[in-house]
Amino acid sequence: MSLRNSFSFTLLALALTACGSAPTSTTTTTPPPQTADQRAAALVAQMSETQQLQMVEGGTANDSAYNITFPRGGAGYIPGIPSLNIPGLYIADGSVGVGNGVGPATALPSSIASAAGWDTTAAYSYGQVIGTELAAYGMNVNLGGNTNLIGREPRDGRTFETKGEDPILAGKIAAAHINGIQSEHVIADIKHFSFNDQETGRTTANVIIDDRGGRESDLLAFEIGVKDGNVQSVMCSYNLTNGTWDCENPYLLTQVLKTDWSFPGFVMSDWAATHSTVNAANAGLDQEEPDQIYFSQLPTAIQNGQVQDARLQNMAQRVLRAMFEVGIFDNPQSLQPIPAAADAAIAQQVEENGAVLLQNNNNALPLSPNLTSIAIIGSRANIGVLSGGGSAQVQPVGGPAAVDGYPCPPCWAQMIWDPSSPMQAIQSLAPNATVQFNDGSSASAAANLAASSQVAIVFVHQWTSEGMDLATLNLNDPVNNIDQDALVSAVASANPNTVVVIESAGAIVMPWLSQVPAVLEAWFPGQSGGSAIADLLFGKTNPSGKLPITFPASVSQLPRPNIPQPPDGSTPFPVNYTEGFNVGYKWYDAQGLTPLFPFGFGLSYTTFSITGATLANNLSAATNPNCQVTFTVTNAGKVAGAEVAQVYLGMPANLSEPPHRLVGWQKVSLQPGASQSVTIEVEENDSSHPFSYWDTGSGSWLVGPGTYTIYLGNSDANVTTVGTFTVGS
């Protein structure tokens, strides 16, 4: 929770003398609390150069990889300074729950599942779980906040950590996560700044992108997260941007982040992403992690005049300022058990809110509780659900259901299954059914079981991890070598009542789609995922998730059908983002491509209508320029559910923008037969700059003259025109 300026005044009562003399008054004013900046500056003024250096260098001791040890575990450590009452910084990953093996923690559904909920209130709770559990373990810096726009490269191994392909949706969800984390007096992080959109060659990839393309895509997502989230830490990435390493890139770190966005916190490097002392410090890097490889040379650089002493003071002040801002100084930590039961319930709500029903022909779902035989096939669905690998990996409460080793040499991540059995949960909702499991290793054996069952539920998966990208968007099982696409086809041929449940980081292709009546995208569903999936399949919960990422029909539709490859481990190689701001659905729309499933898409067990839309425009106003879209959402079906109404904007043709961009949305929950009037206000003063384009000549956001069109619908591919308005010169 951020500290805010507040003033308290104590006014003493006027005292009148008994002799009737003129009244006199005595007023005492309590000095206002100092701001985080003032407190940090006062503290830096008391610090020696050695103490200032301590705040900007990774912790030291003895570790086989980085010559470091961390007293509470985690990924990093900055020792405190007891003589100045400065607490230590205890740093841990946490994109989807507490990482780095700090301790058993709630394995939340993937971040992209949170984004698929299109619900910032729920996203705040998601972040709050992470912040609460980090604080319980004595950690006070979080390394979550992955906001890279993976729509550029859906094969990216870290897709599950991200918030999708649209910069406004991704930025708003990231900001909600950040606010939730920092409410627990933990410094949140947003990463990887910037354009770290593929893992292949991530330490040497040189992203080539024009300024307008960058500002209206990845950088816009970061801008929203930084401003709306009041985030206190930004992690710069391994790659280069336009020829300069990101952790010593003055345009990104000083011009964009600290000047244009007025970011007051500190920039930390990704682990071993620093390449210099002088260039990095002068470009805006404030803290080197995890060891003082380069920043140990700062005293020499200062002595030689290559780095100003004031720069070191600013670096230390930014770190301390972040600590004051989130309340680390004023709220000493108390190690305690995590609230595992309450957090597991939130994890289940997030999954049920974000799972996406992609297909439901002939109302194949929800399943009847009166079924007498059910075949459960594949993906260890008898014992658990899949999680993503890498630094975001969570050690789930209760321990893993299974560990399938290291399936991606030389990837250092293990394939871990969270302990939540879909089969057990399905059995509890169909108490009279014979529920049998087949592991899917033999397509013919799976088909035989399916043929003897009323319903077959095939669980398929696509594991991903930090440190790797997928070779294909087809389904593969790197451990058991199972052709899951062939498995689905075999089961569907044996039983027309086949339901497919997908556990994936993001988009996959589905050559078997026409063979099955129902498909549910469950993402990596977290440690309460088994129960959530069963509730969704049987209609105990009505699916309401919407895709935050486009599912392509094939990789040939991507801007880069083949992932750019490094020539070796040390030579920078170009990754050309020629698509610029046309990321995800904007690319498909601009190219006239029809994807497998469009951005914003998701079905329900009920039917909604969006009617009576009207448009009011006040964009020419000097203050609060906006447009308001008012409409009625009606649940015309027989069960309660939620719809996400989405507002898109088409800009004047002469600006060469995509056909339309998402600018607002509202998730509306309704009982059967109920209606609700909704107004979505889109404000140009918002951090998302919804009506603007980035003008490279002036280096600013501008609203161009011409005709603007407002669209309303429930996916990128299903919108109607509400109205138009014209902006003059």
Side-chain angles (χ1 to χ4, degrees):
M1 184 176 297
S2 301
L3 299 177
R4 302 294 185 189
N5 291 343
S6 63
F7 297 87
S8 63
F9 298 94
T10 302
L11 181 63
L12 299 182
L14 294 177
L16 300 180
T17 63
C19 61
S21 60
T24 60
S25 64
T26 303
T27 303
T28 301
T29 302
T30 302
Q34 290 183 307
T35 66
D37 287 299
Q38 291 168 332
R39 296 174 74 181
L43 196 50
V44 168
Q46 302 175 50
M47 299 172 73
S48 65
E49 181 180 274
T50 300
Q51 290 172 326
Q52 293 168 11
L53 287 166
Q54 186 167 319
M55 304 308 299
V56 305
E57 298 175 346
T60 60
N62 191 8
D63 173 292
S64 59
Y66 294 116
N67 194 37
I68 304 170
T69 189
F70 308 133
R72 297 177 183 172
Y77 170 56
I78 302 291
I81 304 174
S83 63
L84 294 174
N85 296 317
I86 298 176
L89 292 179
Y90 300 88
I91 306 169
D93 280 282
S95 288
V96 297
V98 178
N100 311 122
V102 169
T106 301
L108 290 160
S110 53
S111 268
I112 202 169
S114 175
W118 293 61
D119 184 338
T120 54
T121 300
Y124 180 92
S125 296
Y126 185 102
Q128 202 165 32
V129 168
I130 296 172
T132 296
E133 297 193 359
L134 283 167
Y137 281 114
M139 315 305 291
N140 53 20
V141 181
N142 169 251
L143 302 179
N146 194 329
T147 311
N148 301 111
L149 292 186
I150 301 302
R152 290 193 187 277
E153 183 43 77
R155 292 161 293 194
D156 184 279
R158 304 189 79 167
T159 297
F160 72 96
E161 296 182 51
T162 70
K163 287 81 181 169
E165 69 190 25
D166 180 82
I168 297 180
L169 177 64
K172 296 294 184 182
I173 296 297
H177 286 183
I178 290 162
N179 280 313
I181 291 166
Q182 293 191 163
S183 72
E184 301 303 316
H185 313 302
V186 172
I187 294 172
D189 178 60
I190 191 168
K191 66 184 184 184
H192 307 81
F193 194 66
S194 190
F195 306 106
N196 177 198
D197 299 328
Q198 68 177 56
E199 288 294 279
T200 301
R202 67 176 179 171
T203 61
T204 52
N206 178 25
V207 172
I208 309 300
I209 187 168
D210 68 285
D211 192 33
R212 182 176 174 185
R215 289 279 193 159
E216 293 187 25
S217 60
D218 297 60
L219 294 182
L220 178 56
F222 277 96
E223 180 177 1
I224 296 167
V226 166
K227 291 180 177 179
D228 290 9
N230 189 33
V231 72
Q232 293 303 304
S233 176
V234 172
M235 179 188 290
C236 53
S237 52
Y238 289 114
N239 56 284
L240 305 89
T241 297
N242 294 326
T244 303
W245 298 107
D246 279 7
C247 286
E248 56 183 56
N249 193 316
Y251 177 72
L252 288 176
L253 303 186
T254 296
Q255 180 61 52
V256 175
L257 180 63
K258 294 182 176 180
T259 302
D260 294 348
W261 300 349
S262 302
F263 171 65
F266 66 99
V267 178
M268 69 164 67
S269 70
D270 203 341
W271 266 226
T274 312
H275 290 266
S276 66
T277 302
V278 174
N279 289 347
N282 288 336
L285 182 65
D286 299 306
Q287 188 181 82
E288 181 186 14
E289 292 289 356
D291 201 357
Q292 50 203 33
I293 299 169
Y294 291 100
F295 275 13
S296 63
Q297 302 303 311
L298 276 172
T300 301
I302 292 170
Q303 184 177 4
N304 293 339
Q306 295 170 294
V307 176
Q308 296 299 309
D309 185 62
R311 174 66 187 119
L312 173 60
Q313 294 172 14
N314 177 260
M315 293 158 71
Q317 181 171 331
R318 284 176 172 273
V319 176
L320 292 167
R321 189 247 187 234
M323 297 171 68
F324 280 116
E325 180 71 15
V326 303
I328 290 175
F329 279 89
D330 302 322
N331 297 273
Q333 288 179 319
S334 174
L335 305 189
Q336 55 191 298
I338 65 169
D343 289 351
I346 293 173
Q348 181 167 340
Q349 291 168 4
V350 170
E351 170 62 15
E352 293 179 359
N353 199 38
V356 183
L357 183 61
L358 295 175
Q359 182 159 287
N360 193 24
N361 297 338
N362 302 316
N363 295 317
L365 295 176
L367 299 174
S368 169
N370 299 318
L371 289 169
T372 57
S373 58
I374 302 172
I376 307 292
I377 297 167
S379 300
R380 294 191 179 274
N382 58 326
I383 59 170
V385 292
L386 189 58
S387 65
S391 60
Q393 182 72 62
V394 178
Q395 179 185 339
V397 173
V403 179
D404 284 343
Y406 299 87
C408 62
C411 176
W412 44 269
Q414 290 185 301
M415 187 175 180
I416 291 176
W417 300 81
D418 289 330
S420 183
S421 165
M423 181 175 176
Q424 182 179 342
I426 288 168
Q427 179 71 81
S428 69
L429 295 181
N432 299 319
T434 299
V435 181
Q436 295 178 277
F437 177 73
N438 178 278
D439 66 7
S441 58
S442 167
S444 60
N448 288 338
L449 176 60
S452 65
S453 305
Q454 283 181 290
V455 171
I457 307 174
V458 185
F459 286 78
V460 295
H461 65 273
Q462 181 68 286
W463 182 75
T464 68
S465 170
E466 177 182 2
M468 61 168 280
D469 290 327
L470 295 170
T472 174
L473 291 180
N474 288 84
L475 294 168
N476 66 67
D477 182 336
V479 172
N480 300 304
N481 249 351
I482 296 174
D483 183 341
Q484 294 178 93
D485 289 326
L487 174 65
V488 173
S489 292
V491 172
S493 296
N495 188 330
N497 300 315
T498 295
V499 176
V500 177
V501 177
I502 305 166
E503 297 173 44
S504 69
I508 64 168
V509 296
M510 305 177 195
W512 37 261
L513 183 63
S514 63
Q515 300 173 258
V516 301
V519 179
L520 179 71
E521 173 59 74
W523 316 107
F524 295 152
Q527 70 176 60
S528 299
S531 296
I533 289 168
D535 285 355
L536 290 159
L537 293 177
F538 282 84
K540 190 175 178 181
T541 301
N542 192 347
S544 64
K546 300 284 187 177
L547 291 179
I549 187 171
T550 304
F551 278 41
S554 72
V555 295
S556 65
Q557 292 186 328
L558 302 178
R560 284 162 295 281
N562 297 307
I563 299 176
Q565 299 290 319
D568 53 47
S570 59
T571 305
F573 66 101
V575 179
N576 286 291
Y577 286 170
T578 54
E579 73 277 16
F581 48 66
N582 282 320
V583 179
Y585 67 92
K586 298 172 184 176
W587 166 260
Y588 292 85
D589 292 346
Q591 299 295 315
L593 299 171
T594 301
L596 186 65
F597 291 107
F599 173 83
F601 176 80
L603 301 174
S604 171
Y605 295 149
T606 190
T607 303
F608 293 97
S609 65
I610 301 175
T611 58
T614 61
L615 172 65
N617 166 44
N618 193 35
L619 198 62
S620 61
T623 59
N624 193 34
N626 63 64
C627 79
Q628 294 178 328
V629 184
T630 301
F631 52 92
T632 299
V633 181
T634 300
N635 182 348
K638 297 180 179 180
V639 295
E643 177 66 298
V644 180
Q646 303 163 33
V647 176
Y648 293 82
L649 174 73
M651 299 182 72
N654 64 298
L655 297 180
S656 301
E657 289 285 317
H660 56 246
R661 61 165 75 165
L662 179 73
V663 292
W665 66 89
Q666 180 67 52
K667 192 163 192 173
V668 183
S669 299
L670 293 170
Q671 293 298 312
S675 296
Q676 182 175 327
S677 177
V678 177
T679 296
I680 296 177
E681 183 169 26
V682 184
E683 297 187 28
E684 176 56 20
N685 289 337
D686 186 77
S687 59
S688 60
H689 311 286
F691 300 107
S692 294
Y693 71 97
W694 180 258
D695 179 62
T696 55
S698 64
S700 63
W701 292 95
L702 297 179
V703 177
T707 299
Y708 292 74
T709 304
I710 294 291
Y711 303 94
L712 177 65
N714 61 3
S715 80
D716 166 58
N718 184 34
V719 296
T720 58
T721 301
V722 176
T724 63
F725 58 86
T726 301
V727 175
S729 59

